[in-house]
Amino acid sequence: MKEQEHIDQEYLVEAAEGARSGVEPLIPILPWPPRVRVSGLYVASRIVTPPIAAPGPLPIQPIPLSQPPPGIVPTSAAPWHIEEILPWGLLREELRLDVDGRYPQMMVSGTLYGVLAKRVHWIARLTAAGPNAWTGSIWFKDGDVAGFPYTAVDITTTATLLSSQRKAVVRLSGGGTSVRTRTLAFKSPYFRQVEFEFDCATGVTATTHIGTHDHPNRPATLPNETLTIEEVYRRVGFEVRKSGSDSIVPIADAGTNARWSDNEMHDAMQVYWSRFAGKAQWSLWVFFAKLHEQGTSLGGIMFDDIGPNHRQGTAIFNDSFISTPPAGDAQPAAWVERMRFWTACHEMGHSFNLAHSWQKQHPPDWGTPWIPLANEPEARSFMNYPYNVSGGQTAFFSDFAYRFSDNELVFMRHAPERFVQMGNADWFDHHGFEQASASPEPSLTLNLRVDRPQATYQFLEPVVLELKLTNIGRRPLVLERELLSMTDHMTVIVKKRDKPARQYLPFARYCHDQQAQVVMPGECVTDSLFISVGRNGWDIAEPGYYTIQIALHMETEDIVSDALTIRVAPPRGYDEEFIAQDFFSDDVGRILNFDGSVILRRGNDTLREVNDRFSDRAVATHARIALAAPLAKDYKVLDMGDRMGEMASAKEAGGRLRRSAPRIEEARQLYTSALLEKKEQAIATLGRTDYEYYLGRFRAALVEHGAVLKKEPRDIKRDAKREKSGDIEHTMRVIKEALSSLKDQEPVSS
Amino acid sequence: MLLHIALQEGFHHDDVRLSVDAWEALANGDLTTRRQTGYAGSVNVDVTRSPVVVEVALSKRKVTQSKSIPVDRPTYVGLSLTAEGGLVWKISHEPFGYL
């Protein structure tokens, strides 16, 4: 009943707004027949009793919609089939349809909650396809996306005034799989729920509502109403509730100076917020006080970037500059009330993980740059500073409709819950959220893999991913041969659980000759990516779970990979913990990344220690490869003499290139130990691609230093073909033959 | 006369040195902007002549800039770094506010 009342109110507001364009009539003109608002939350759920043996989804026969249930009037002519229950393994399905009502964004997002905490979140942009039908492309996916290949969505809603009978039929298609059709029941005109609690310091009054016409500087079309903070967020799409426990915080809690520090407010939040809990929840504490310890220059702050659950508390300071109206303002008291109200909505926006309007684009070291937004420096949004726009605060409020920008609305309504919900993602983590320019019908798919049954890594073990780019279209594609090794075409995100995401920045970018290759339908190209360490330092080091995702930026579209979650195991003992201090250094990172160095001596010492003391561990394989590579060839070193390390040109320092002679016997032992003695372990930790590459380097080093490969001319062509196709067994036979030939010769000197 | 110099957007573990007429007014080896307010730090200097030369040096970024600023009334200088690493100067006669 309450929902229906709200819908009726919204309908009247929309009708009144529709009539406002121009001279207002004396008698309101309402459209007829009345439009039924369909935006809101739709759900389907079931109680699942997992079967004893669950080989996969149980086949569910679709039910033809030959006779629609009473009250349901499908408006699409398409002969859709509707499954009335969810498949095995799926606990709950949500749909947020955003096509009408306040500030419609023509978006739809869905979340599928499965067993074992599996979850998929998707978002699509919609266009109308009929009176109650919409169609669109999915441009965002998050979660366990491997089982969600769909790229397009069609939605049809029922046209009934009875919300209990309102339904949405959702048809997902594309991605090379069969069409998936579901019916979801209307649950709420709101997309999400949130709860606010407003507490005040002693002697402070909270400004939680204003009269929109109290100040004369306003848009001419702004409705005259009493607007509350709750209503602002209802218009965002939240079902807002109050905790019912608004209270007074004694001033003594601010210490002797009566100004509040962030820590004092955090302490007060724990004591006075009736809902405080160390967990993510859709609940927010709003505190009204006089001054922050920073003084009058701070009008408010989302102070809660403390501890593990950020964004739960925010504060407004009534005695700060927000209470100083401009000189000569026509209604100074109303100006102050409006500014306090605006500030409260603004600071609360930060708690929903919204950045300032000019902070949407930023360098990666600020935080998660996932897929960045454009800055909105002139936005008439709660998240902009009124005095920063052209024309200052007068210009801002003359055109401000007490709302958030469209991008901000999309974020709060449709972004994955964990990005937005208080206490979930860290402040500023994932705030930059926008569509990738992904094609609705991609011709390529990018998969991240590891060469092991479970993606678990030993402590200290570097992570090497296998990238696989597959042509899933129907036509041959011409791709650059080195596409997957050109990391400047990629955005690589590494996110440790409960930590902000980081962008992996490789130590070096490589410039390749542009050589094309044809990839036929169904064919793939592969490459490896050494991802543990880069210019940001060690992105993967501490024990825990990490999620990795890559966007490959092609000329006309972005190919976004599935997300791969890996686990780094805890250290095996004190020795591993101890050496970690030296191992997770920039030197070791560079040596491993560039396959060796003769200059970075401390790093090499660490790797030798790893090889000696942890010879049975996977990290030793990487150490051996990195130590072997520079020993296996003539190595040129720029000798700067006594001025090594100074910022001086080689000419100034009298630098000269010095040759470091190969030490092939040491290299042979290290390569043999790394690549031949425990082949499966080596493939698992290096990845198949890199394993083949290092085998090739080993063979080349042996041949260069005297090994003889007995080969008949007729075998040469066949062998080349085998090597090209990655025949590891063949390459190993060749190496063993080469090693055998060396044994027959004099010992190889260094 | 008051000269207020605020370090605002874009600082991230920066080594910042501010001087006014060659007198070191602020030195901070690890300055970071709090993104929820766009504020990193500030200093008030009482100057006795106008104009003064304000110099800012960001050693990690290898950026040094100076500017002559008239201070014939209370003056507020805001320094921000752009996403590309450029330094932006904002001069005002009203105090800055942060939200």
Side-chain angles (χ1 to χ4, degrees):
Chain A
M1 192 63 196
K2 193 176 172 186
E3 288 168 7
Q4 192 56 52
E5 283 172 9
H6 175 90
I7 293 164
D8 293 344
Q9 285 172 4
E10 282 289 318
Y11 162 70
L12 291 171
V13 168
E14 284 172 39
E17 286 183 344
R20 260 202 312 275
S21 55
V23 179
E24 285 198 27
L26 293 174
I27 302 170
I29 299 170
L30 302 181
W32 191 262
R35 284 181 293 129
V36 174
R37 179 181 155 172
V38 297
S39 287
L41 178 67
Y42 293 75
V43 298
S45 61
R46 67 175 302 195
I47 297 170
V48 170
T49 305
I52 294 168
L58 292 180
I60 295 175
Q61 290 299 317
I63 301 169
L65 189 68
S66 53
Q67 292 198 332
I72 297 180
V73 186
T75 51
S76 166
W80 288 0
H81 289 178
I82 299 175
E83 291 177 6
E84 294 294 342
I85 56 172
L86 300 177
W88 283 107
L90 200 58
L91 295 172
R92 178 179 164 85
E93 188 164 351
E94 289 180 354
L95 186 87
R96 286 164 289 276
L97 182 62
D98 182 6
V99 293
D100 53 17
R102 286 275 183 179
Y103 320 128
Q105 298 301 307
M106 296 307 287
M107 294 276 175
V108 62
S109 57
T111 312
L112 284 68
Y113 299 90
V115 294
L116 300 174
K118 287 201 167 203
R119 186 188 55 80
V120 176
H121 187 93
W122 58 271
I123 308 174
R125 191 181 304 282
L126 296 176
T127 54
N132 282 296
W134 295 268
T135 185
S137 302
I138 293 173
W139 57 265
F140 180 89
K141 292 182 192 177
D142 178 67
D144 300 292
V145 298
F148 190 85
Y150 309 103
T151 57
V153 63
D154 295 280
I155 294 170
T156 301
T157 59
T158 54
T160 169
L161 286 168
L162 298 172
S163 61
S164 61
Q165 293 189 2
R166 199 169 302 152
K167 295 188 187 304
V169 180
V170 182
R171 182 174 179 269
L172 294 158
S173 60
T177 190
S178 56
V179 171
R180 177 185 192 275
T181 304
R182 295 285 183 275
T183 302
L184 290 90
F186 180 82
K187 185 178 183 197
S188 167
Y190 300 102
F191 304 110
R192 286 167 166 157
Q193 293 182 336
V194 71
E195 182 186 68
F196 299 149
E197 181 168 317
F198 300 135
D199 286 352
C200 297
T202 308
V204 175
T205 304
T207 302
T208 58
H209 66 273
I210 55 158
T212 53
H213 278 203
D214 287 354
H215 197 281
N217 178 30
R218 62 176 188 269
T221 55
L222 189 69
N224 185 8
E225 59 182 333
T226 298
L227 185 62
T228 63
I229 292 175
E230 296 98 299
E231 184 58 26
V232 166
Y233 280 92
R234 282 191 193 106
R235 291 174 185 177
V236 172
F238 288 95
E239 182 175 359
V240 179
R241 289 183 296 196
K242 294 287 300 301
S243 70
S245 302
D246 296 357
S247 62
I248 302 295
V249 178
I251 189 70
D253 287 359
T256 53
N257 64 1
R259 295 184 177 205
W260 292 83
S261 69
D262 293 344
N263 282 328
E264 286 166 344
M265 289 188 289
H266 198 269
D267 288 346
M269 177 174 76
Q270 295 186 51
V271 173
Y272 294 100
W273 183 25
S274 63
R275 295 288 193 267
F276 180 78
K279 64 177 184 181
Q281 52 182 345
W282 284 107
S283 194
L284 172 61
W285 189 63
V286 186
F287 180 50
F288 295 82
K290 287 186 176 175
L291 277 179
H292 186 270
E293 64 180 5
Q294 188 176 318
T296 56
S297 68
L298 190 62
I301 188 170
M302 189 288 290
F303 60 84
D304 188 15
D305 52 2
I306 301 166
N309 300 103
H310 289 192
R311 302 186 285 106
Q312 298 184 105
T314 197
I316 295 88
F317 302 108
N318 276 10
D319 286 4
S320 69
F321 76 97
I322 61 173
S323 295
T324 305
D329 190 87
Q331 290 283 348
W335 188 95
V336 170
E337 282 301 282
R338 181 174 64 186
M339 198 63 203
R340 288 175 175 172
F341 179 83
W342 182 94
T343 302
C345 295
H346 171 95
E347 301 303 339
M348 292 168 74
H350 285 318
S351 288
F352 286 87
N353 216 0
L354 292 178
H356 290 123
S357 302
W358 65 90
Q359 289 176 326
K360 316 282 185 179
Q361 286 173 304
H362 54 74
D365 55 4
W366 280 31
T368 311
W370 182 220
I371 297 167
L373 288 163
N375 282 333
E376 302 174 317
E378 290 296 321
R380 298 316 193 240
S381 159
F382 277 115
M383 298 319 294
N384 209 352
Y385 279 6
Y387 41 86
N388 273 4
V389 305
S390 302
Q393 59 90 22
T394 304
F396 181 89
F397 282 114
S398 71
D399 190 23
F400 177 59
Y402 293 89
R403 58 164 293 184
F404 293 89
S405 74
D406 284 347
N407 276 329
E408 289 157 353
L409 290 173
V410 169
F411 178 79
M412 288 191 281
R413 292 173 178 179
H414 298 289
E417 180 180 60
R418 71 179 199 281
F419 295 1
V420 189
Q421 186 186 41
M422 298 86 204
N424 210 319
D426 279 357
W427 157 239
F428 224 74
D429 187 17
H430 286 297
H431 80 88
F433 165 87
E434 196 195 31
Q435 68 181 74
S437 55
S439 165
E441 295 290 348
S443 50
L444 292 161
T445 182
L446 180 62
N447 293 112
L448 310 186
R449 303 181 305 173
V450 291
D451 264 312
R452 56 186 69 197
Q454 289 187 319
T456 300
Y457 286 76
Q458 296 170 3
F459 186 64
L460 300 174
E461 181 184 4
V463 176
V464 183
L465 300 182
E466 297 277 307
L467 314 186
K468 182 182 177 188
L469 186 66
T470 307
N471 180 353
I472 57 170
R474 293 177 185 165
R475 289 181 299 180
L477 296 172
V478 178
L479 303 177
E480 286 185 52
R481 187 172 294 279
E482 306 291 345
L483 181 65
L484 289 178
S485 58
M486 297 159 75
T487 48
D488 52 339
H489 286 233
M490 294 179 190
T491 300
V492 182
I493 301 296
V494 179
K495 184 171 189 328
K496 188 169 189 290
R497 186 177 289 177
D498 301 325
K499 298 276 186 179
R502 293 160 64 95
Q503 183 174 4
Y504 165 73
L505 299 172
F507 280 117
R509 296 189 186 280
Y510 297 93
C511 187
H512 298 275
D513 266 352
Q514 283 203 338
Q515 291 184 9
Q517 65 178 333
V518 176
V519 180
M520 301 300 288
E523 285 185 354
C524 63
V525 290
T526 59
D527 210 327
S528 66
L529 181 66
F530 180 86
I531 199 175
S532 285
V533 57
R535 296 205 308 277
N536 267 343
W538 286 82
D539 292 310
I540 300 175
E542 294 174 13
Y545 290 89
Y546 296 79
T547 300
I548 303 158
Q549 195 164 22
I550 296 178
L552 181 64
H553 309 298
M554 310 285 286
E555 205 163 292
T556 55
E557 62 178 312
D558 292 339
I559 308 295
V560 181
S561 78
D562 50 343
L564 174 71
T565 299
I566 65 164
R567 181 187 179 199
V568 174
R572 190 172 55 174
Y574 174 76
D575 286 354
E576 288 190 356
E577 280 185 59
F578 191 79
I579 203 167
Q581 296 168 15
D582 294 324
F583 184 81
F584 293 126
S585 66
D586 188 62
D587 277 7
V588 169
R590 287 175 187 274
I591 293 169
L592 293 173
N593 188 79
F594 292 110
D595 291 337
S597 164
V598 297
I599 292 295
L600 301 172
R601 294 193 178 93
R602 286 183 61 184
N604 280 336
D605 289 346
T606 302
L607 290 175
R608 272 189 281 274
E609 190 178 348
V610 165
N611 183 35
D612 293 343
R613 294 176 57 194
F614 305 101
S615 59
D616 63 326
R617 302 288 276 173
V619 65
T621 300
H622 294 265
R624 288 169 193 140
I625 296 276
L627 292 169
L631 300 177
K633 61 180 183 180
D634 277 353
Y635 204 99
K636 289 178 282 300
V637 180
L638 179 61
D639 187 350
M640 300 275 278
D642 296 337
R643 301 187 65 179
M644 186 69 84
E646 287 184 26
M647 290 294 288
S649 70
K651 188 179 177 185
E652 285 169 352
R656 62 189 178 83
L657 281 174
R658 182 167 56 80
R659 175 177 168 268
S660 176
R663 287 145 61 185
I664 190 63
E665 181 54 25
E666 282 180 60
R668 185 190 65 77
Q669 288 177 13
L670 286 163
Y671 268 139
T672 301
S673 176
L675 299 173
L676 305 185
E677 289 177 359
K678 291 180 182 172
K679 187 186 90 176
E680 296 307 323
Q681 178 179 313
I683 291 174
T685 192
L686 298 170
R688 187 165 289 270
T689 303
D690 281 8
Y691 182 79
E692 289 173 19
Y693 168 75
Y694 293 126
L695 274 185
R697 286 186 67 165
F698 185 20
R699 191 193 66 166
L702 292 173
V703 172
E704 190 180 338
H705 293 92
V708 178
L709 302 180
K710 294 170 189 167
K711 194 170 290 184
E712 298 296 327
R714 66 174 182 275
D715 294 334
I716 293 175
K717 195 173 175 183
R718 187 189 62 196
D719 287 356
K721 196 174 175 184
R722 280 175 156 179
E723 284 161 26
K724 191 179 174 189
S725 65
D727 188 339
I728 288 177
E729 296 302 329
H730 169 74
T731 310
M732 289 187 74
R733 276 199 301 276
V734 172
I735 287 174
K736 285 174 181 169
E737 183 187 325
L739 288 169
S740 166
S741 81
L742 285 176
K743 280 183 191 166
D744 297 339
Q745 299 173 27
E746 293 293 313
V748 178
S749 67
S750 60
Chain B
M1 193 62 71
L2 172 69
L3 173 64
H4 172 91
I5 305 171
L7 299 156
Q8 299 176 331
E9 281 291 352
F11 294 93
H12 188 74
H13 298 298
D14 276 291
D15 185 355
V16 182
R17 288 178 186 278
L18 277 176
S19 65
V20 179
D21 280 347
W23 176 78
E24 186 170 89
L26 182 147
N28 189 326
D30 187 15
L31 192 82
T32 295
T33 301
R34 262 195 115 181
R35 287 186 291 271
Q36 58 266 59
T37 57
Y39 173 83
S42 62
V43 63
N44 287 332
V45 183
D46 187 16
V47 300
T48 54
R49 62 179 180 177
S50 176
V52 294
V53 174
V54 174
E55 182 177 279
V56 56
L58 309 173
S59 61
K60 287 180 190 167
R61 298 175 191 263
K62 297 183 172 54
V63 170
T64 301
Q65 281 189 18
S66 61
K67 198 177 275 281
S68 175
I69 295 174
V71 193
D72 44 15
R73 52 182 167 148
T75 302
Y76 301 83
V77 177
L79 293 166
S80 292
L81 283 163
T82 64
E84 294 75 33
L87 198 57
V88 178
W89 298 63
K90 182 175 166 185
I91 299 169
S92 168
H93 296 294
E94 298 292 332
F96 297 121
Y98 305 93
L99 295 162

